Amino acid sequence: MQASVKWLDNQRFVGTSESGHTVVMDGDKTSAASPMEMVMMAAGSCASVDVVSILKKARQQVTGVEVQLSGERADAVPAVFTRMKLHFVVTGFDVSDKHVERAVSLSAEKYCSVSIMLGKSVDISHSFEVHQAEFG
């Protein structure tokens, strides 16, 4: 895997992935997410891919998945993450708590490369809630 990051101006940079996708990052957080925010969102998106895939394979009628992320960072430099929480909000029709719990657990323990990698030095926790979708 390869990527590049190019300085634009001030504290703004554009990253380009091997697949040709780009993302802007801003160390000042004025015009884009910061690199550390990107790390947290990467963990959330990686885990969400797993959760959605596992629930679809289990034939759950999922209509929405959101992961709410919170993180704590060290007070000293480098201000690394010390804790991160991923809270999944799953919406659908008759979605089973048991299936969601299993999907979140499999992502956390087996599939999500980003959160498993971060978990080597960050205290990562996972939780979830399930909401019934409304017809209409």
Side-chain angles (χ1 to χ4, degrees):
M1 183 179 298
Q2 297 181 349
S4 68
V5 176
K6 183 179 178 182
W7 178 46
L8 296 174
D9 57 33
N10 300 320
Q11 292 295 308
R12 288 184 336 127
F13 297 82
V14 63
T16 305
S17 68
E18 185 175 66
S19 58
H21 295 89
T22 60
V23 62
V24 175
M25 296 165 277
D26 187 344
D28 290 331
K29 299 191 264 183
T30 56
S31 65
S34 75
M36 290 301 280
E37 289 171 323
M38 297 293 284
V39 169
M40 190 162 41
M41 290 187 290
S45 62
C46 178
S48 294
V49 166
D50 298 335
V51 168
V52 168
S53 176
I54 293 165
L55 290 174
K56 283 187 171 191
K57 286 178 185 171
R59 300 182 192 270
Q60 295 296 292
Q61 296 180 50
V62 176
T63 60
V65 173
E66 177 183 355
V67 61
Q68 300 165 346
L69 300 139
S70 59
E72 295 177 23
R73 295 175 66 186
D75 289 331
V77 174
V80 298
F81 283 112
T82 55
R83 288 195 171 115
M84 190 178 294
K85 180 170 183 166
L86 289 79
H87 179 74
F88 292 86
V89 180
V90 178
T91 305
F93 297 100
D94 300 319
V95 174
S96 160
D97 283 9
K98 178 180 161 185
H99 280 292
V100 174
E101 181 176 26
R102 179 178 176 272
V104 170
S105 177
L106 282 170
S107 175
E109 296 169 11
K110 185 174 182 179
Y111 293 117
C112 179
S113 304
V114 178
S115 64
I116 291 170
M117 177 182 65
L118 289 172
K120 303 290 183 189
S121 61
V122 179
D123 178 19
I124 297 182
S125 62
H126 298 75
S127 60
F128 72 90
E129 60 188 91
V130 178
H131 297 273
Q132 180 67 24
E134 295 182 17
F135 291 98

